[in-house]
């Protein structure tokens, strides 16, 4: 569905993303992993046209940059890392803004289908009971789920998630990945997520892209990408050994 | 999933607020037109206005009528237009920048417009066919030059036109224009008093020419910003978020900035610099109705109009026949009103719901 080929992003003459190529296919739950500063978020911003880039990013063979913002939003939705609301929007208002790309007219009256999508999104993310609450009163985890609900209401074909389990406790981390996995299995859909928790990558991802210093260190099947050598050279920690030691505590 | 929690910020229903806003607006309008150094009863005022609207004023030789229709009416209506314009501009800037401390003057247009006006006072520029409007036209011209300068410089610095760049450029430009204005003032000589009085804002001596000059700019600016309500809602969640849900952020941002400049520029041109309205009215309205711009824009226009008509009334009657600069009154009244409302609102909130 989404083809990224030889993409580079430079900021202040420094290459933040350096010649990355990647393919997202239907029903993929692909993950981008790598240490802080590896260029993961920058790559996402390039895909969404927020940052200028070299190379090609194609959606079903057509360049993404040719799409108008509304068309793009109907195809690809993004969950950002940080949410810092400033005003007292209600949860329902925030989620209904996900329908922006579909609703015409300056008053933006929601139709039957829009309202159904919003209700479904609230239901899926377990935020129905927060519906009338101001977003300023929510915890970090609740806020994350509200913006995920906005994303579901937006109903794109591809979800791009930047550290989606940020702020979530373990129960919701698992719930969220179950939810995303299920979402990605439907026809014509795919997910690309930046994930730090390698256990989650093992459990849920269909493939992985390991980035380091803006470059592709490895990509492909999760098992191969997460090899001991790869992780050791990228994270400078013997991750496998660390994880195994950790297991002793649980047995 | 547990019980549905009660709404946190209890906002008053829109139709009720709209009713209050309209009645407040009409009430203030009549009060402001009736009260003055020579008073007229509401009945008399109504009589004058219907006579005037029906075109029956030619034969009537009545000083009270001519004061009400030719002096007070345009002044009060102009105050209403400026109040509404500054409030709507403030709403738009706060939403766009996702910052409740912004207002129309954040952009630096106010200072540019003021520079133009002071220049025309000091140089004594007047147009043969429109003697009243020379100052206003100079001010409008300078507002637009300022906008063009600020936006093109921001664009040169930062292709993405990030709000931070724009604010920074605006603030620096404000200082530049302010220093030039001060320089002019120091050479002002005999016109010094006029300059100082103007820089604190006033509706003294404004007539129908000013109203007619303002109307098209006002109409375009307010209506256009109202049509961008949904985009402003999206921006108030953050620019990146707005972009991801499908807003053409670059184009929309430019449009909003231009419309805010139109409103702020024309306001400075007809009334001088009037502070605080664009900051306080959006705040108060948002506390009452919530952050949805579809409600916020019409309501703050009504509240802003009423507020400025009322403060102008105070400015011209409190120490009559002397007039206070309206900027002084808006800041004074606005600050107290703001502290009171902000205190009661947040106080109730922290007490728990």
């Amino acid at each position: 569905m989404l083809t990224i080929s030889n993409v580079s992003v430079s900021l202040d003459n420094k290459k933040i993303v350096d010649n990355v190529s990647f393919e997202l296919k239907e029903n993929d739950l692909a993950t981008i992993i790598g240490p802080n500063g590896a260029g993961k978020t920058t790559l996402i911003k390039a895909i969404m046209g927020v940052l200028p880039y070299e190379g090609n990013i194609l959606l079903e063979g057509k360049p993404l940059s040719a799409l108008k913002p509304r068309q793009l939003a109907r195809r690809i939705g993004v969950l950002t890392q940080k949410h810092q609301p400033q005003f007292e929007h209600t949860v329902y208002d925030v989620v209904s803004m996900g329908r922006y790309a579909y609703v015409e007219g300056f008053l933006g009256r929601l139709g039957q289908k829009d309202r159904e999508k919003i209700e479904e999104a609230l239901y899926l993310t377990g935020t129905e009971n927060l519906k009338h609450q101001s977003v300023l009163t929510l915890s970090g985890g609740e806020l994350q789920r509200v913006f995920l609900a906005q994303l579901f209401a937006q109903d794109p074909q591809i979800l791009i998630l930047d550290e989606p389990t940020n702020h979530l406790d373990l129960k919701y981390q698992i719930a969220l990945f179950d939810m995303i996995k299920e979402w990605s299995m439907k026809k014509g859909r795919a997910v690309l997520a930046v994930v730090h928790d390698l256990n989650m990558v093992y459990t849920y991802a269909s493939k992985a892209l390991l980035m380091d210093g803006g470059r592709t260190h490895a990509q492909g099947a999760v098992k191969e990408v997460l090899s001991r050598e790869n992780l050791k050279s990228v994270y400078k920690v013997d991750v496998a050994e660390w994880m195994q030691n950790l297991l002793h505590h649980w047995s | 999933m547990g019980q549905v929690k009660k709404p946190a910020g209890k906002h008053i229903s829109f139709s009720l607020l709209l009713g209050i806003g309209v009645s407040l607006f009409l009430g203030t309008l009549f009060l402001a037109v009736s009260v003055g150094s020579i008073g007229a009863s509401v009945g008399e005022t109504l009589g004058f206005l219907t006579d005037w609207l029906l075109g029956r004023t030619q034969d009537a030789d009545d000083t009270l009528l001519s004061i009400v229709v030719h002096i007070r009416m345009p002044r009060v209506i102009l105050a209403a237009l400026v109040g509404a314009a500054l409030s709507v501009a403030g709403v738009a800037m706060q939403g766009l920048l996702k910052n409740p401390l912004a207002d129309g003057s954040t952009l630096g247009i106010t200072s540019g417009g003021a520079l133009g006006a002071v220049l025309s006072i000091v140089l004594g520029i007047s147009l043969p066919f429109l003697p009243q409007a020379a100052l206003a036209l100079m001010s409008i011209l300078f507002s637009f030059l300022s906008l063009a300068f600020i936006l093109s410089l921001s664009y040169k610095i930062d292709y993405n036109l990030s709000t931070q760049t724009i604010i920074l450029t605006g603030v620096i430009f404000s200082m530049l224009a302010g220093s030039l204005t001060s320089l002019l003032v120091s050479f002002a000589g005999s016109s010094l008093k006029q300059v100082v009085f103007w820089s604190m804002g006033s509706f003294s001596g404004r007539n129908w020419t000013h109203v007619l000059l303002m109307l098209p700019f006002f109409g375009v600016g307010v209506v256009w910003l109202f049509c961008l309500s949904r985009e402003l809602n999206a921006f108030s969640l953050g620019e990146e978020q707005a972009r991801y849900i499908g807003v053409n952020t670059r184009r929309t941002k430019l449009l909003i900035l231009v419309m805010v400049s139109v409103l702020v520029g024309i306001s400075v041109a007809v009334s001088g610099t009037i502070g605080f309205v664009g900051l306080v009215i959006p705040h108060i309205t948002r506390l009452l109705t919530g952050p949805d711009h579809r409600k916020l824009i019409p309501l703050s226009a009504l509240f802003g109009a009423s507020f400025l008509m009322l403060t102008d009334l105070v400015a011209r009657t409190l120490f009559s026949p002397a007039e206070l600069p309206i900027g002084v009154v808006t800041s004074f009244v606005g600050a107290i009103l703001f502290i009171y409302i902000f205190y009661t609102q947040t106080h109730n909130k922290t007490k728990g719901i």
Side-chain angles (χ1 to χ4, degrees), chain A residues 96-111:
Chain A
S96 63
M97 279 187 224
R99 300 301 295 169
Y100 176 85
Y102 301 88
V103 180
E104 301 289 332
F106 62 88
L107 278 179
R109 196 149 287 157
L110 299 169

Side-chain angles (χ1 to χ4, degrees), chain A residues 32-94:
Chain A
I32 309 179
I33 50 183
N36 293 323
K40 306 182 295 291
T41 301
T42 308
L43 180 62
I44 288 180
K45 286 191 173 167
I47 295 173
M48 293 311 287
V50 178
L51 290 175
Y53 59 88
E54 293 163 55
N56 288 311
I57 302 176
L58 305 175
L59 182 71
E60 268 133 22
K62 289 181 203 123
L64 258 195
S65 50
L67 291 178
K68 294 198 171 107
R70 271 174 194 249
Q71 297 173 318
L72 181 62
R74 289 184 205 174
R75 289 169 177 80
I76 305 182
V78 181
L79 183 69
T80 54
Q81 264 181 45
K82 279 187 220 143
H83 306 287
Q84 292 160 314
Q86 193 59 250
F87 299 115
E88 275 202 307
H89 294 284
T90 63
V91 167
Y92 191 87
D93 284 346
V94 170

Side-chain angles (χ1 to χ4, degrees), chain A residues 45 48-50 69-70 72-73 78 80 83-84 86-89 94 97 100-101 103 105-108 126 128-130 132-134 137 142 147 150 154, chain B residues 1-9 11 94-95 98-100 160 226-227 229-231 233-234 236-237 240-241 243-248 286 291 294 349:
Chain A
K45 286 191 173 167
M48 293 311 287
V50 178
R70 271 174 194 249
L72 181 62
V78 181
T80 54
H83 306 287
Q84 292 160 314
Q86 193 59 250
F87 299 115
E88 275 202 307
H89 294 284
V94 170
M97 279 187 224
Y100 176 85
V103 180
F106 62 88
L107 278 179
E128 291 158 301
N129 59 329
L130 305 173
H132 302 298
Q133 212 168 317
S134 150
T137 62
E142 286 171 329
F147 278 94
Q150 189 190 60
Q154 193 178 324
Chain B
M1 272 298 131
Q3 254 187 322
V4 173
K5 287 184 193 166
K6 272 187 189 164
H11 298 130
Q94 292 177 5
K98 198 186 151 194
N99 187 340
N160 276 321
F226 180 67
C227 291
S229 291
R230 292 176 66 216
E231 284 74 12
N233 283 346
S236 68
L237 287 183
E240 209 184 340
Q241 196 69 29
R243 160 94 202 193
Y244 292 153
I245 61 172
V247 177
N248 188 339
R286 197 181 290 111
R294 288 170 292 188
K349 217 170 277 171

Side-chain angles (χ1 to χ4, degrees), chain A residues 120-160:
Chain A
E120 189 192 331
L122 289 165
Y123 172 76
L124 278 174
T125 52
T127 49
E128 291 158 301
N129 59 329
L130 305 173
K131 189 149 98 167
H132 302 298
Q133 212 168 317
S134 150
V135 285
L136 297 185
T137 62
L138 302 181
S139 72
E142 286 171 329
L143 206 55
Q144 184 79 346
R145 283 189 283 141
V146 168
F147 278 94
L148 187 70
Q150 189 190 60
L151 196 54
F152 282 152
Q154 193 178 324
D155 195 22
Q157 295 162 282
I158 296 174
L159 293 188
I160 295 183

